[in-house]
Amino acid sequence: MSAAAIRARGLEKTYVDPRGGRVEALRGLDLECSSGEIFGLLGQNGAGKTTTLRILSTTLSPTAGSAEVDGVDVARDPIEARRRLGFLSGTTGLYPRLSPRETLAFFGRLHGFEKDELDARVEELVRAFAMEEFADRRCEGLSTGQRQRVSIARAVLHDPPVLVLDEPTTGLDVLASSAMIDFIESARAGGTCVLLSTHVLSEAERLCDRIGILHGGRLLACGPLDELREKTGKVWLEDVFKELVQHARETTR
Amino acid sequence: MSAQRTDRTRTITPSVMRATWLVARHELVSAFRDRQTTLYAVVVPVVLYPFLFWAMIQGAFFLQGARERTEVELALVADSRAEVPNELADALSEDPGRAGLDRIDVAPLERVADATSARARVRRNGEDAPEKSDAVLLVEDGGRADSPGEGVGSSLFFDSTDPESELARTRVERRLPEFAASLREAAAEARRTDPEELAPLRVEVAVDVAANRERGAYLLSFLLPMLLVVMTVLGAFYPAVDMTAGERERRTQETTLLLPVPRAAVHQGKILAVCATAIIATGLNLLALGFSAGHLVALAQLGPEIEIDLPFQAFAAIAPLALLFALFVSAVLTGIGALARSFQEGQALLGPVQMVFILPAMAGVLPGMELTPGLACVPVLNVVFAFRGLLQGRSMPLEYAITAVSLVVCSAVAVVIAMRILSRESAPRGSWIARSIGRARAAEEDSI
């Protein structure tokens, strides 16, 4: 396995709850993902998945600990970290009044592409994601599947070595989900490190080289699915997950 | 746990009245838990508008007081043959019982050759000429030399585009007929005749020495400054909400924050875009009104003596201040818009804020106020009165410079604060992302 493309050490994140309480979303998370690997983060709502991904994408900063993307510390050099990262989630919407081509061009310019290089890259992505039919229509008029393709193209425009995907198939129909899974597999084949958060366990079973189970801001277990099966004595990932979470709850009581 | 009721008595459908009341109560509770409804229904009417109206009334009283305390100069002139009543100067200088207020400083009587000489004595456009006066009252011989004090005519020369001259005209026109009536009664009594048979002092005509074009510029000087403020605010309003709360609602904020550029560049870009929209809206509106004002005046039949030309010089002179003002407004609106969670909430927040700009701008239609060094420090008012002065052709380099400095300082402060608010939105603690995750986390812990 090659060098760590994502590395988190003792990552902590504390929020002040609107009701005045203190919420520890992450409590010393350690994580390492390699190039050419798909790493799946599983956890209940509020387990800390989204917080982890947002710290890596620099939209949040950690309360303590450190995180690196492709060797770049996200807190020290967030701009360079963003250069090396493609991020996709349900909250990274498309600009409704721009067309897919304009969206890609906008991101490309801010990623520092020269005009000729940018034009060529945009055309390449339009073809690769079969966007020819709607590339010049405003995004607000596109179907969910078409928007998803534009979003992926936007995330990989600068060919990042690391892809962070937060529940990438949520809200997609079967065909669009399938296309997304194909894309993730192709990214791994291209040597990209993919960090994936999902609630769809079948997706994780199919795609992930390693799986991390998050609960209460801590990583309960981490490893290939077979290793987790062995550890829990369960066969199905759903049962593995439940076993680990149940055990953690009993331990904390 | 079972959802079955233990008491299985039949329920009774409430009457229409009771159902109406229950629905209304439910809707009211929901409505008043909505911050926007509370803001518009309670906070704004109870706090903001009374304060603004109080400020406006205080301002009106202040202006009224300032007008009453303003002493204007009147030159009393007469042709060589006219007999001027001795008491005229005293009668014009002050109202009985209002000592020290509405005073006219009446210069000693002078003899002039004709009406042209009298007209030339009117001080024009705030010029500093001691030999000139705010208004000139010319007393002419009425051709009744055999009857002293009878048949004397008068003409008042004034400049309708000069507030002090206008003030002098108002005061003279109020006092002169009163004095004429008392003079007529005294003359009638002396001759033992009916006062109606005498016309001792005729109040003839008020002659406006301002040119038609100057009157047009004066009219525009009341309309355009207010329009400048209103259009800047309205032009910035929707982009400010759209680029902050609107972006959050569309879920594109995080997309923008993923750009590999400094966050400051993103925030500055937003403020700049809002500012550009405000400038375009303002520029087009000013030009449109400037072009159409002549036709509007003709349609409104304000009189043929008003001629309106597009004031390109004033537009060019106000442009730097208008740009700074647009930046100031854009930064304020963008910063406040960033506090909102949705487009609707953004509109609700910015509604009262735009009134904070627009209501002071209405001071621009009050006559008698000019840009002073003190006023030049007050944002909104300074740009209004600077524009008014420029449209009236006044030269005010010191006030203009103070206005520019004041707007630079205000814009810089507003931009810094807006950037902090926008940064807080995208940064770790206190951000909407953090808050929403915090809420989800807290809800999860509750459920566990």
Side-chain angles (χ1 to χ4, degrees):
Chain A
M1 206 174 271
S2 50
I6 293 175
R7 178 180 284 129
R9 286 276 173 269
L11 215 51
E12 289 179 20
K13 181 68 187 176
T14 306
Y15 302 111
V16 176
D17 177 64
R19 288 172 293 187
R22 194 164 166 270
V23 177
E24 289 179 276
L26 288 180
R27 307 177 199 204
L29 178 76
D30 294 324
L31 190 68
E32 253 186 47
C33 315
S34 308
S35 300
E37 179 188 35
I38 300 177
F39 187 98
L41 264 185
L42 305 185
Q44 293 169 286
N45 287 337
K49 304 186 299 292
T50 301
T51 303
T52 307
L53 303 192
R54 288 206 166 111
I55 287 173
L56 291 169
S57 69
T58 76
T59 50
L60 288 177
S61 64
T63 310
S66 67
E68 288 177 8
V69 170
D70 197 28
V72 176
D73 189 302
V74 296
R76 285 201 196 119
D77 195 351
I79 296 172
E80 188 53 38
R82 290 199 285 272
R83 278 189 189 289
R84 297 172 187 227
L85 180 99
F87 184 80
L88 193 61
S89 81
T91 53
T92 49
L94 294 170
Y95 304 114
R97 294 162 212 153
L98 295 189
S99 69
R101 211 185 287 277
E102 287 168 336
T103 303
L104 296 176
F106 171 62
F107 271 79
R109 277 192 286 272
L110 286 163
H111 270 283
F113 280 81
E114 294 294 334
K115 189 180 180 313
D116 292 345
E117 192 189 1
L118 177 62
D119 291 345
R121 180 63 177 155
V122 169
E123 287 316 308
E124 185 186 348
L125 289 169
V126 166
R127 279 195 303 277
F129 290 96
M131 297 191 289
E132 291 92 340
E133 269 185 34
F134 56 87
D136 293 309
R137 273 170 32 202
R138 284 186 178 196
C139 289
E140 61 194 350
L142 304 183
S143 69
T144 310
Q146 289 170 333
R147 282 186 208 179
Q148 188 70 348
R149 277 188 267 170
V150 182
S151 290
I152 298 169
R154 192 268 304 153
V156 300
L157 171 85
H158 53 298
D159 195 18
V162 174
L163 266 179
V164 173
L165 308 175
D166 190 6
E167 299 179 19
T169 55
T170 301
L172 297 186
D173 62 22
V174 177
L175 287 178
S177 294
S178 175
M180 173 59 83
I181 287 168
D182 290 345
F183 160 72
I184 295 170
E185 285 178 330
S186 69
R188 170 174 54 191
T192 304
C193 166
V194 181
L195 178 59
L196 171 77
S197 135
T198 183
H199 283 294
V200 186
L201 301 184
S202 60
E203 239 173 58
E205 278 182 322
R206 174 178 166 180
L207 285 170
C208 298
D209 300 304
R210 285 192 302 144
I211 291 172
I213 310 281
L214 262 178
H215 177 74
R218 288 195 183 95
L219 204 54
L220 297 181
C222 175
L225 182 55
D226 287 342
E227 200 177 297
L228 297 180
R229 282 176 177 147
E230 203 173 304
K231 187 173 177 181
T232 56
K234 304 287 181 185
V235 176
W236 300 106
L237 179 55
E238 187 180 338
D239 295 332
V240 170
F241 179 81
K242 282 196 314 205
E243 177 68 22
L244 287 166
V245 170
Q246 189 60 35
H247 179 71
R249 282 182 176 172
E250 282 167 7
T251 313
T252 51
R253 269 177 197 156
Chain B
M1 194 190 283
S2 169
Q4 209 167 43
R5 296 171 64 222
T6 48
D7 176 12
R8 293 194 134 184
T9 50
R10 289 172 64 84
T11 55
I12 300 168
T13 306
S15 67
V16 173
M17 285 290 285
R18 177 158 171 74
T20 306
W21 159 244
L22 289 173
V23 171
R25 194 177 68 173
H26 154 77
E27 294 295 347
L28 273 172
V29 169
S30 295
F32 279 96
R33 284 181 183 170
D34 173 46
R35 285 202 294 180
Q36 297 161 57
T37 309
T38 314
L39 184 72
Y40 267 108
V42 182
V43 179
V44 168
V46 170
V47 180
L48 182 66
Y49 289 150
F51 171 75
L52 287 174
F53 288 129
W54 174 82
M56 285 176 73
I57 289 167
Q58 293 302 311
F61 281 149
F62 172 78
L63 279 177
Q64 175 69 20
R67 280 166 64 87
E68 286 177 345
R69 286 191 302 275
T70 301
E71 185 175 272
V72 294
E73 291 173 18
L74 178 75
L76 192 56
V77 297
D79 66 24
S80 55
R81 293 188 304 158
E83 284 197 29
V84 180
N86 292 331
E87 308 86 354
L88 179 58
D90 288 341
L92 288 176
S93 65
E94 208 166 66
D95 282 325
R98 285 176 61 82
L101 297 176
D102 290 345
R103 277 195 53 79
I104 299 178
D105 179 14
V106 184
L109 178 69
E110 282 181 51
R111 296 287 170 180
V112 292
D114 51 21
T116 311
S117 329
R119 171 190 281 265
R121 293 281 310 274
V122 179
R123 181 178 293 133
R124 301 303 318 283
N125 207 10
E127 67 182 339
D128 186 20
E131 73 280 7
K132 297 198 173 183
S133 302
D134 297 316
V136 175
L137 182 66
L138 170 65
V139 182
E140 295 159 301
D141 176 35
R144 299 283 301 274
D146 58 318
S147 178
E150 188 178 356
V152 177
S154 70
S155 299
L156 180 68
F157 296 89
F158 73 103
D159 179 355
S160 65
T161 67
D162 184 294
E164 291 190 356
S165 188
E166 216 14 75
L167 211 51
R169 178 180 75 92
T170 312
R171 291 174 188 175
V172 170
E173 283 186 345
R174 189 172 68 228
R175 290 169 195 169
L176 198 55
E178 286 172 12
F179 175 70
S182 67
L183 202 62
R184 183 164 59 176
E185 278 173 18
E189 196 178 318
R191 295 180 197 184
R192 298 180 187 283
T193 181
D194 186 354
E196 294 299 318
E197 292 173 13
L198 300 173
L201 180 63
R202 295 195 311 276
V203 182
E204 299 264 298
V205 285
V207 181
D208 187 357
V209 299
N212 296 348
R213 191 168 290 182
E214 289 170 330
R215 278 193 287 271
Y218 192 63
L219 179 69
L220 285 184
S221 76
F222 286 92
L223 292 176
L224 296 187
M226 194 170 77
L227 190 74
L228 173 99
V229 173
V230 172
M231 289 321 302
T232 304
V233 173
L234 291 184
F237 183 89
Y238 276 99
V241 182
D242 189 59
M243 289 177 206
T244 51
E247 183 157 63
R248 185 170 310 145
E249 197 167 88
R250 292 190 297 272
R251 297 185 157 200
T252 52
Q253 187 181 39
E254 204 169 353
T255 312
T256 306
L257 295 178
L258 291 170
L259 290 165
V261 292
R263 293 276 153 79
V266 174
H267 305 325
Q268 282 165 7
K270 282 178 189 289
I271 294 172
L272 195 62
V274 175
C275 184
T277 318
I279 289 166
I280 291 167
T282 309
L284 290 178
N285 273 281
L286 287 179
L287 281 174
L289 188 71
F291 275 122
S292 56
H295 299 292
L296 290 173
V297 167
L299 283 174
Q301 295 182 324
L302 290 178
E305 63 278 355
I306 292 180
E307 188 182 317
I308 289 182
D309 286 337
L310 203 58
F312 283 114
Q313 275 189 328
F315 280 4
I318 198 66
L321 299 185
L323 289 177
L324 288 169
F325 180 66
L327 181 62
F328 172 53
V329 170
S330 304
V332 170
L333 296 191
T334 308
I336 293 173
L339 296 170
R341 284 177 297 192
S342 65
F343 196 94
Q344 199 184 6
E345 194 176 303
Q347 284 179 300
L349 268 177
L350 291 188
V353 176
Q354 68 176 352
M355 296 312 290
V356 170
F357 285 103
I358 291 172
L359 287 179
M362 289 178 178
V365 297
L366 296 172
M369 278 187 79
E370 285 177 16
L371 188 65
T372 58
L375 207 56
C377 299
V378 184
V380 186
L381 291 179
N382 56 8
V383 77
V384 166
F385 288 109
F387 196 16
R388 188 203 266 194
L390 291 167
L391 286 163
Q392 291 174 359
R394 292 183 197 280
S395 169
M396 42 187 184
L398 174 66
E399 290 82 357
Y400 187 96
I402 295 173
T403 300
V405 170
S406 163
L407 287 174
V408 166
V409 171
C410 289
S411 305
V413 171
V415 167
V416 167
I417 292 173
M419 298 271 290
R420 287 203 173 180
I421 295 172
L422 286 162
S423 302
R424 198 195 63 158
E425 291 297 300
S426 59
R429 273 173 271 278
S431 76
W432 67 276
I433 298 171
R435 283 200 305 273
S436 58
I437 292 172
R439 270 195 292 273
R441 184 81 178 87
E444 175 64 19
E445 293 213 331
D446 284 352
S447 69
I448 293 170

